[in-house]
Amino acid sequence: MTESDVLLYGHDPTPGIVSVYADYSGQAWVWRREGHQVTLEQTRFRPWVFARDLTDVASLVLSRDDPEAPFHVKELTGKVGSLKYLLTAKDGYSLRRVIFQNATQRLGRQITGFHDLRGYVSAGPTEQYLTATGRTYFKGMSFDDPVRLQFDLETTSLTPDQGRIFMIAVRDNRGFEKVLEARRSAQEADMIGELVQVIQERDPDIIENHNINSFDLPFLMGRARTLRVPLELGRQGGPAGIWRVQDGRSSPHWAVAGREILDTIDAVRRMDLPSASLKAVSQIFGIAPPDRVYLEGEKITETYRDNPALVRKYALQDVEEVDHLARRVLSASFALAKMTPRPYHRLPYAGPAMGVLEPMLIRAYYHAGHALPPEQPYHAEPHSGGHVELFAEGVLARVVKADVASLYPSVIRAERIEPQSDPLHVFLHLMDRLTALRLQHKAAMRRGEAGEHQAMQSAMKLIINAGYGYLGAGRMALFGDREAADQVTTKGRDILNTVVSDLRAGGVTLIEADTDGVYFSVPEGWSEQQERELIRAVDAELPEGISLEFDGRWQAMLSHEIKNYALLGYDGKLTVRGASFDTVRTEPFARDFMQRALPCLLKGDLTGVQDAFQFTLNALQQRQLTNREVATRVRLTKTPEQYRASKRRENQYEAMLSAGVPWQAGERVYQYQQQEKGWRPLDGNPDGRDYDVQAYVQTLLTGYVTRLRKGLTAEDYRQLFRPVHEQGLFDLPVSDMRPVWRAVDTSRVR
DNA sequence: CTCATACGGGG
DNA sequence: GTGTACGTATGAG
């Protein structure tokens, strides 16, 4: 693959950069790997700021012709009002200080950063270095060329002031593997020292774990502080220490000089999976080994006491799983790190638009010596969205989904829509090049060629799809353009409308349309080939560059509300979408009910639906369930003191207080409704059966049974979900009932 | 209903 | 002496 497109990769082809640390004083440390050798280049760069005018730097001596002067200004080509002054300095701290001081005076409020100051664009030091030099990480490297090390702590608690570390599993992608242990508290300090030593000796470029930023590192730092063990995880020659990356979000991120700290959870969280936990995700991706040991968090300490070998195995499997998971979920970020002027560790949690695309746009303007765009005009209204429409609700058979492949990116490229503030046409160039590259990688994948084609193509896709969102991102997006974004959605709605009416003309029953996809039901007797032919025929009518694709087929669908539905595959697999059907708070008994009832409803087996209902009702009434199976998980965010001080009474806290159970802020507990006593913590009696039957029957009826309503006639619904002893005189045999659907005429545009 | 805040996940 | 910004569910008003 060529890395010669300077807009895509930056203009400096230096290979093998594995980590960069820079500061505002203009110093930069660049670590490069060539095979086994890692070299540190200590260098300087000129910190930069794009400015709209020079008012805040009027007190500085600004050179216009000596680019090495303490402060330099270059007037850039650009329109009136654009950021047409590129200020650079030998020492970026002084430049920033002067600007903030003068702006504070001018505006009469404390200015401490560019984020609360209009008329400037700058970046963090490492990003400035990469932008100014045109360098990027990892050029010429594959995912496993850097040394990647994973470590995972086993602890006696979730917080370092209440527990300690008793085990650390550590491995790397060069074959190293070790389990460090501290059976007794007195050995913990030595074990931490040993981890530091392992890291210094194995000298990884990248340190990975799942949730490393919110768990392992804070825990490790907490213990090291308490035990007074020096914790140097960074590389020799660079600034020492470990520091919190200020990224404005609640969860912390950490950085050390010379190594990239990567958290697989950041990448997993944006994948829209039912859970982001390591174990769940590993199973979904099929990377859990067949002999995987699963231990409940709370039981790990006691398991270690009785069976340390099992915990060792568990801990090693954790780090091995992280290695596989990282290869799977971080390779897109790895690929993007070769393109965008940002450190690798930021990419899994940087947004693809502001975090990846915009830095590339800024870099292009920096190198062209062209001004950055002025601020966008303010729009009170959000820009218009996609076409969303529900055509039918209830149970429909023979369901097919068709979608327009990459609708918005295709519209952007086909209609040549670009930000009006992008005279260099960088946006469209990037869209075109990324799409072309994506297609190359997809083709290579299809030919079965070796290499990271899957990672590359998904990385490209990520950024291409971000293009539209970026245009509509509002004032935060430097090159955002509301009108351009509106053009994209307008065209997108036109296309979807065409698809919808052409499909309808093809004789199918439409169910729902959402932005770029349509679910519909085909007439009885249609073969899959006929379904695909219809989609091909509709596709043929679409404009050049836009294509409709077959996206799946199911034996039936329960359409409940827009974006809330259940599908039953031809293989019998049930898929539910939307908060109506399943959330984290869903009680186990209710989840079980839905899993039993939905497939029956979708197959038209209403006897089965009734059985599922009676089964659950019976189980509740006969107290065949335990409290655990009716409990919901709640989170106690306030401390007891905070709660007592607050006005509002909340069930979950009252439950803890009335039971006399202490809690800590942030704690997660299970609670259930106890007979006559209301909400109680589950902990006291998880295997008991003293739950409030009436309350849970009510929950079943109002919270879950109602989700099936759209698939039944009103009479059938009433009859099916009535207690069995209340048989009515005019009841129909259930075996004669059939699920129903009806057309709806609510249409709206988001 | 809309707006704001908290969460995820880790032992 | 680094570095603003995720997506979604629930609670508050």
Side-chain angles (χ1 to χ4, degrees):
Chain A
M1 184 203 67
T2 68
E3 294 177 354
S4 58
D5 185 322
V6 299
L7 293 183
L8 215 46
Y9 294 98
H11 69 274
D12 184 328
T14 303
I17 294 175
V18 289
S19 194
V20 176
Y21 173 91
D23 67 23
Y24 285 126
S25 76
Q27 297 185 88
W29 289 256
V30 180
W31 283 270
R32 291 178 50 201
R33 176 175 288 279
E34 280 170 276
H36 300 293
Q37 200 69 32
V38 176
T39 52
L40 166 60
E41 177 193 349
Q42 233 181 309
T43 175
R44 294 200 56 86
F45 70 105
R46 285 184 68 91
W48 52 262
V49 176
F50 280 88
R52 188 171 47 202
D53 54 54
L54 300 177
T55 42
D56 292 328
V57 286
S59 58
L60 283 178
V61 181
L62 283 176
S63 166
R64 289 189 179 250
D65 41 49
D66 177 12
E68 304 295 315
F71 301 99
H72 180 261
V73 63
K74 182 174 164 193
E75 195 170 338
L76 309 167
T77 358
K79 280 200 266 185
V80 180
S82 59
L83 310 186
K84 59 187 307 179
Y85 298 98
L86 181 60
L87 299 164
T88 64
K90 238 181 195 142
D91 175 31
Y93 287 117
S94 340
L95 178 61
R96 288 166 64 91
R97 195 163 43 234
V98 167
I99 293 173
F100 298 155
Q101 270 170 5
N102 289 330
T104 299
Q105 286 226 319
R106 176 166 61 86
L107 298 167
R109 62 191 163 88
Q110 194 64 39
I111 301 294
T112 54
F114 286 117
H115 45 275
D116 34 39
L117 193 53
R118 306 232 171 277
Y120 293 93
V121 165
S122 190
T126 301
E127 204 174 315
Q128 290 190 33
Y129 171 80
L130 293 170
T131 301
T133 56
R135 290 181 158 190
T136 61
Y137 277 49
F138 304 139
K139 283 200 177 100
M141 298 183 99
S142 297
F143 192 73
D144 272 299
D145 288 339
V147 173
R148 302 168 40 236
L149 176 143
Q150 300 82 25
F151 78 85
D152 185 57
L153 309 183
E154 303 304 328
T155 65
T156 61
S157 153
L158 285 171
T159 47
D161 9 303
Q162 283 167 32
R164 66 175 188 92
I165 310 167
F166 64 84
M167 186 182 283
I168 304 174
V170 50
R171 70 178 296 288
D172 68 24
N173 62 346
R174 300 293 195 267
F176 177 85
E177 187 174 277
K178 196 165 188 181
V179 178
L180 314 174
E181 281 175 75
R183 275 204 89 91
R184 291 176 291 108
S185 300
Q187 299 165 325
E188 189 187 6
D190 284 347
M191 178 179 63
I192 293 173
E194 215 184 319
L195 174 71
V196 171
Q197 203 187 331
V198 165
I199 288 176
Q200 292 304 336
E201 282 172 12
R202 301 301 303 174
D203 196 29
D205 306 309
I206 296 164
I207 298 176
E208 297 166 349
N209 197 16
H210 199 68
N211 211 19
I212 187 170
N213 282 307
S214 296
F215 179 68
D216 298 85
L217 283 175
F219 203 108
L220 190 60
M221 287 185 277
R223 296 308 295 161
R225 198 179 311 116
T226 305
L227 300 166
R228 299 179 195 287
V229 184
L231 191 67
E232 188 46 64
L233 304 181
R235 245 178 181 141
Q236 306 300 317
I242 172 163
W243 54 89
R244 191 173 168 158
V245 177
Q246 283 306 318
D247 61 357
R249 46 167 87 194
S250 48
S251 61
H253 284 85
W254 306 94
V256 297
R259 309 188 206 281
E260 301 288 305
I261 294 171
L262 270 287
D263 198 331
T264 45
I265 210 168
D266 287 323
V268 163
R269 278 197 178 141
R270 51 177 52 184
M271 301 181 98
D272 201 24
L273 302 171
S275 158
S277 84
L278 176 64
K279 276 75 175 173
V281 171
S282 299
Q283 285 182 350
I284 291 167
F285 287 152
I287 55 186
D291 65 338
R292 180 64 158 122
V293 177
Y294 293 104
L295 298 175
E296 245 179 82
E298 283 178 0
K299 304 221 170 89
I300 284 179
T301 313
E302 56 176 278
T303 310
Y304 181 60
R305 233 172 276 130
D306 308 335
N307 189 353
L310 189 68
V311 179
R312 266 173 231 132
K313 179 172 177 182
Y314 167 83
L316 272 177
Q317 286 181 331
D318 265 4
V319 284
E320 280 157 13
E321 226 164 62
V322 168
D323 172 36
H324 286 114
L325 181 61
R327 210 165 278 136
R328 187 87 171 223
V329 303
L330 294 179
S331 45
S333 293
F334 184 86
L336 291 175
K338 300 178 184 187
M339 300 183 175
T340 195
R342 305 209 82 185
Y344 176 42
H345 72 259
R346 292 214 56 132
L347 294 179
Y349 62 97
M354 306 291 281
V356 179
L357 192 58
E358 185 168 89
M360 291 163 83
L361 287 157
I362 292 174
R363 178 180 60 196
Y365 276 76
Y366 181 103
H367 283 286
H370 199 287
L372 291 178
E375 221 166 276
Q376 292 183 69
Y378 174 72
H379 297 279
E381 307 270 304
H383 89 94
S384 61
H387 179 101
V388 182
E389 191 166 1
L390 187 68
F391 302 100
E393 54 187 27
V395 175
L396 294 100
R398 299 170 303 278
V399 173
V400 179
K401 188 178 184 219
D403 69 358
V404 184
S406 312
L407 175 62
Y408 288 164
S410 305
V411 167
I412 287 171
R413 297 198 327 112
E415 305 282 314
R416 309 310 289 162
I417 298 169
E418 64 177 348
Q420 169 250 310
S421 56
D422 180 17
L424 303 181
H425 312 295
V426 182
F427 178 82
L428 268 177
H429 177 90
L430 291 176
M431 287 291 147
D432 288 341
R433 291 288 298 129
L434 288 164
T435 307
L437 263 181
R438 178 166 185 233
L439 294 177
Q440 275 177 31
H441 286 291
K442 282 181 87 165
M445 251 169 74
R446 237 174 276 125
R447 289 194 300 268
E449 281 174 27
E452 285 147 350
H453 300 298
Q454 171 54 32
M456 291 301 290
Q457 83 85 11
S458 71
M460 310 294 107
K461 181 181 176 182
L462 213 65
I463 306 311
I464 295 163
N465 286 337
Y468 154 72
Y470 182 71
L471 290 177
R475 307 228 298 168
M476 285 183 313
L478 191 55
F479 291 88
D481 182 338
R482 148 76 86 88
E483 278 172 33
D486 280 343
Q487 283 175 42
V488 177
T489 46
T490 304
K491 187 69 192 171
R493 285 195 300 271
D494 288 351
I495 290 166
L496 198 73
N497 276 327
T498 307
V499 167
V500 159
S501 55
D502 288 1
L503 284 172
R504 186 185 275 133
V508 305
T509 305
L510 298 164
I511 305 173
E512 83 168 52
D514 180 7
T515 309
D516 60 357
V518 186
Y519 281 101
F520 56 91
S521 161
V522 302
E524 203 167 350
W526 274 38
S527 64
E528 179 173 350
Q529 203 189 337
Q530 280 173 288
E531 295 166 5
R532 288 178 182 270
E533 266 162 25
L534 172 64
I535 291 169
R536 246 192 309 276
V538 174
D539 173 56
E541 298 300 308
L542 295 176
E544 185 69 33
I546 309 287
S547 64
L548 186 71
E549 293 179 349
F550 178 91
D551 195 36
R553 59 196 300 268
W554 296 267
Q555 57 171 303
M557 173 173 183
L558 167 62
S559 162
H560 177 67
E561 284 168 28
I562 201 133
K563 294 181 194 177
N564 281 271
Y565 51 81
L567 291 161
L568 188 67
Y570 285 101
D571 57 358
K573 193 171 164 284
L574 180 73
T575 312
V576 296
R577 275 287 130 72
S580 299
F581 289 105
D582 200 17
T583 73
V584 281
R585 294 174 73 102
T586 304
E587 302 83 352
F589 85 92
R591 184 167 293 132
D592 177 72
F593 166 70
M594 297 303 276
Q595 293 289 325
R596 287 167 191 275
L598 283 170
C600 294
L601 178 66
L602 286 162
K603 277 183 281 197
D605 169 17
L606 298 191
T607 314
V609 174
Q610 190 178 39
D611 290 349
F613 173 67
Q614 289 298 339
F615 177 89
T616 307
L617 192 63
N618 240 354
L620 277 170
Q621 289 173 336
Q622 307 297 317
R623 297 191 185 279
Q624 286 161 8
L625 303 173
T626 60
N627 294 341
R628 196 193 304 277
E629 289 164 297
V630 298
T632 31
R633 192 163 80 160
V634 297
R635 188 163 177 126
L636 306 167
T637 52
K638 301 170 186 158
T639 63
E641 296 70 43
Q642 285 168 333
Y643 177 67
R644 282 193 201 95
S646 77
K647 278 177 283 190
R648 221 181 108 88
R649 296 302 92 186
E650 294 170 61
N651 288 337
Q652 64 260 42
Y653 295 100
E654 293 302 313
M656 303 306 280
L657 288 173
S658 72
V661 179
W663 75 90
Q664 295 194 325
E667 201 176 325
R668 239 174 358 202
V669 295
Y670 287 88
Q671 294 185 344
Y672 73 108
Q673 301 184 65
Q674 194 185 33
Q675 194 77 51
E676 286 161 13
K677 299 222 176 99
W679 288 94
R680 305 282 291 178
L682 177 67
D683 246 4
N685 194 8
D687 299 314
R689 292 153 198 268
D690 59 350
Y691 53 84
D692 183 339
V693 170
Q694 241 355 84
Y696 285 108
V697 169
Q698 209 48 45
T699 302
L700 175 66
L701 286 169
T702 57
Y704 301 98
V705 166
T706 48
R707 305 295 186 246
L708 312 177
R709 175 167 236 148
K710 307 259 167 81
L712 297 161
T713 66
E715 306 88 75
D716 291 356
Y717 179 83
R718 271 197 301 276
Q719 184 184 326
L720 278 180
F721 302 113
R722 203 163 47 192
V724 76
H725 56 269
E726 291 175 25
Q727 296 290 332
L729 204 53
F730 304 105
D731 279 2
L732 291 162
V734 175
S735 55
D736 288 355
M737 293 179 186
R738 293 288 167 265
V740 296
W741 66 272
R742 64 177 199 94
V744 289
D745 54 359
T746 52
S747 140
R748 70 197 168 97
V749 169
R750 282 191 275 154

